[in-house]
Amino acid sequence: MTDQSTGDIRINAAATPLGLFVYTLVYGGMTVLAGVLAFKQVQLYPTDLAVEAGIFAFLLLVVISSTIAQLYGEKLANRIVWWGFLPLLIAALLMQLVLNLPASPEMAGGRADDLAAFERVHATIWRVWAAGPAAYIVSLLLNVWIFSRLRGGSDNNSTLSLMMRGAIASALSQAIDSVIFITLAFYGQFPIGNLLIGQIIAKVVLSFILVPFLITGGVAFAKWLDGRRT
């Protein structure tokens, strides 16, 4: 909307639900954080299953995309998944810039170990860099598609239905995510069978344990932000 007297563009803030605005901001942050956290493997107690820590941020991406599909529509959820490439791209470009800039004399000298650790963690090989976005786009679009298809043609908004749809969509999309990422990043470098199976089991277990409650809370929080009673 344009103010005819001044030529300024006025944005109607009420046109964007607050819940959608907040979740979009968080979504962009999680796309970047997932890649950073992925450099650490964590053990899932009390089992011996290990999983890369980026799964926790990625589960939030799953929950947010499903919440947006539930409340604001599948098409909008897919658009946000695609736009998630933007913070990924900006983060990757900034990281390359930082890696190629010379370190300060203080860090290169007295803190050489810190500099070496930073560069060793972030200067990933091109296969790992490419595998992340490929797995991201396929698994998140698949999550939205499965979540929406399970809803069917009826307006099924029961808490039980929401929890089950979220868990199933997350488990299936996370399994595909592991297959794509591990295959693209590591196939041919070492045997990936055990790693692949362990990652799939861990991610499916987390999807059924955490996602039902996260998505129920996520939908309720978005409705509260939007001022909805139901």
Side-chain angles (χ1 to χ4, degrees), residues 26-78:
V26 177
Y27 188 94
M30 290 302 102
T31 60
V32 177
L33 186 60
V36 176
L37 296 178
F39 286 99
K40 181 174 182 177
Q41 296 274 323
V42 295
Q43 182 179 350
L44 300 180
Y45 294 103
T47 71
D48 292 329
L49 292 175
V51 64
E52 45 89 8
I55 179 60
F56 299 111
F58 209 92
L59 283 176
L60 289 179
L61 291 176
V62 168
V63 169
I64 293 171
S65 61
S66 295
T67 298
I68 292 173
Q70 174 76 10
L71 297 179
Y72 311 110
E74 181 182 355
K75 289 184 178 180
L76 183 55
N78 284 330

Side-chain angles (χ1 to χ4, degrees), residues 89-121:
L89 176 61
I90 293 173
L93 293 176
L94 287 176
M95 183 57 68
Q96 290 304 311
L97 174 64
V98 171
L99 287 172
N100 285 282
L101 288 174
S104 70
E106 176 186 353
M107 190 168 193
R111 298 166 58 194
D113 290 343
D114 293 344
L115 177 60
F118 178 87
E119 293 183 342
R120 183 169 60 252
V121 168

Side-chain angles (χ1 to χ4, degrees), residues 74-91:
E74 181 182 355
K75 289 184 178 180
L76 183 55
N78 284 330
R79 287 176 61 188
I80 290 176
V81 171
W82 279 105
W83 276 105
F85 269 119
L86 184 59
L88 277 173
L89 176 61
I90 293 173

Side-chain angles (χ1 to χ4, degrees), residues 155-191:
D155 188 21
N156 192 347
N157 291 313
S158 69
T159 299
L160 180 60
S161 169
L162 180 64
M163 296 175 75
M164 289 304 300
R165 287 188 290 123
I168 293 171
S170 176
L172 293 176
S173 63
Q174 287 298 287
I176 296 299
D177 174 83
S178 294
V179 171
I180 294 174
F181 179 80
I182 292 175
T183 302
L184 291 180
F186 305 119
Y187 180 78
Q189 297 185 8
F190 56 84

Side-chain angles (χ1 to χ4, degrees), residues 118-136:
F118 178 87
E119 293 183 342
R120 183 169 60 252
V121 168
H122 293 291
T124 56
I125 61 175
W126 71 269
R127 285 183 59 175
V128 175
W129 185 91
Y136 159 81

Side-chain angles (χ1 to χ4, degrees), residues 2-21:
T2 303
D3 188 330
Q4 299 297 329
S5 62
T6 64
D8 293 336
I9 296 176
R10 294 180 178 179
I11 298 175
N12 183 6
T16 301
L18 181 58
L20 177 60
F21 176 75

